[in-house]
Amino acid sequence: MSDVFRVSPEVRHALDARRPVVALESTIITHGFPYPANLECALEAERVAREEGAVPATIGVVEGVLTVGLERADLERFASSTGIAKASRRDLPVLAARGADGGTTVAATMFAAARAGIRVFATGGIGGVHRQGERTLDISADLEELSRTDVAVVCAGAKSVLDIGLTLEYLETAGVPVVGYRTDDFPAFYVPSSGFPVPHRAETPGEIAHIVDAKSNLGLAGGVVVANPIAEQHALDPVETEAIITAALARAAENHITGKDVTPFLLAQIHEATGGASEEANRQLVYSNVRLAAKIAAAL
Ligand code: PSU
Ligand code: MN
């Protein structure tokens, strides 16, 4: 293909044969979970995609090459190494030039998925406007990517470490459809509701596929956010979760954490504070998103 971009043979064949393919990100492996929970989650997400009849395409930067369809050995290395870069859109050319590894964020994964011709991507939560974002301008590149790159992103909403109201305002301004899957409320990752309504609701994967198709038929560039709430049996207690998130935000401020380190720092703080309960919730919501993404990909 080129020396900076590669699609694995399995993913290439699936796309050529018009079989369903689901993109998966790798920041969740390098920065989202501790080892070995991260490896377990990455492998199980791929297994769930296959169980639903889709080919998984985990995306990352391998020795500078933006790779669609990581090998098992890459997944193991990404999961067990510390110091692999978190790679958002702005980091891709630098990693390519230096031949370095990177775990791709939602933004960078969307870019690679679209370039490969993959239309559906499953993750845990999207980045968004951080609290105080109106002052710090800490707004995830995920939102900008959603405004320009044609990939449907299935997520469990966004964590309330973010300002969810401002995140939804930003998505509206950017012209990004947000569709609640069997919900009227935008989900807040560990809990099924953020208290903010979604602008649109869909009941079936087929309905979502129609929205995605209509968007491209209209010539409207950009993604779609499919918001799939965590199942009640896996959800955390909303009051306890809010307290943990507030404490995590305070520690981030105390430690002067800024820029790309903010999200990984907060995730690690939350995982530590809940002693594994948040990790389990996080894994379960990822698998649920992969299932829904596979069904949307099949419908497309
Ligand atoms: N939110 C989560 N888990 C994650 C991330 C976000 O609940 O692992 C990761 C995703 O890869 C997302 C990235 O794209 O963090 C956003 O980072 P930033 O806020 O620096 O754009
Ligand atoms: Mn940021």
Side-chain angles (χ1 to χ4, degrees):
M1 197 146 296
S2 72
D3 56 354
V4 290
F5 184 73
R6 173 177 186 270
V7 179
S8 75
E10 188 195 13
V11 172
R12 168 61 42 223
H13 290 145
L15 288 167
D16 288 346
R18 300 187 146 270
R19 288 175 47 215
V21 176
V22 172
L24 301 165
E25 60 148 311
S26 52
T27 291
I28 197 171
I29 306 173
T30 55
H31 293 77
F33 284 101
Y35 181 80
N38 54 356
L39 181 60
E40 187 191 318
C41 185
L43 295 174
E44 179 65 8
E46 292 201 345
R47 195 196 63 74
V48 168
R50 290 186 199 284
E51 190 176 272
E52 294 290 333
V55 170
T58 304
I59 292 173
V61 182
V62 179
E63 295 176 344
V65 182
L66 182 56
T67 302
V68 178
L70 295 184
E71 307 289 337
R72 165 103 193 200
D74 300 323
L75 295 176
E76 285 177 5
R77 192 162 47 84
F78 274 43
S80 59
S81 317
T82 52
I84 291 188
K86 171 177 163 185
S88 198
R89 166 186 273 263
R90 59 114 193 245
D91 306 299
L92 295 175
V94 179
L95 295 175
R98 296 189 176 152
D101 290 326
T104 48
T105 63
V106 168
T109 304
M110 284 181 75
F111 170 78
R115 190 168 164 188
I118 301 171
R119 301 175 76 188
V120 189
F121 163 24
T123 183
I126 54 169
V129 181
H130 282 261
R131 295 195 200 182
Q132 314 286 318
E134 70 278 18
R135 185 175 53 78
T136 62
L137 289 189
D138 188 353
I139 300 170
S140 175
D142 295 354
L143 301 186
E144 194 64 29
E145 201 66 41
L146 280 159
S147 76
R148 66 213 273 185
T149 300
D150 302 2
V151 176
V153 180
V154 182
C155 64
K159 283 201 178 78
S160 68
V161 296
L162 304 173
D163 187 318
I164 292 182
L166 287 185
T167 300
L168 290 167
E169 289 291 349
Y170 194 105
L171 288 168
E172 178 180 357
T173 302
V176 179
V178 176
V179 181
Y181 181 63
R182 298 182 181 163
T183 184
D184 294 313
D185 269 358
F186 191 69
F189 202 82
Y190 298 120
V191 295
S193 173
S194 64
F196 290 91
V198 282
H200 304 287
R201 172 184 173 129
E203 303 303 324
T204 64
E207 234 181 291
I208 297 168
H210 275 129
I211 293 167
V212 171
D213 242 355
K215 189 166 196 277
S216 47
N217 291 339
L218 282 164
L220 283 166
V224 173
V225 173
V226 179
N228 181 30
I230 187 169
E232 280 295 349
Q233 76 264 31
H234 299 303
L236 300 185
D237 178 80
V239 176
E240 274 172 37
T241 305
E242 199 49 41
I244 286 165
I245 283 172
T246 305
L249 286 163
R251 299 204 70 169
E254 267 163 41
N255 289 281
H256 307 290
I257 307 293
T258 56
K260 70 195 282 192
D261 299 331
V262 172
T263 299
F265 179 87
L266 293 171
L267 299 182
Q269 289 285 319
I270 294 166
H271 287 155
E272 211 174 290
T274 63
S278 63
E279 264 176 53
E280 178 59 15
N282 197 340
R283 278 200 295 265
Q284 293 300 332
L285 66 84
V286 168
Y287 307 151
S288 166
N289 294 341
V290 173
R291 279 189 206 289
L292 178 56
K295 290 183 178 130
I296 297 167
L300 281 168

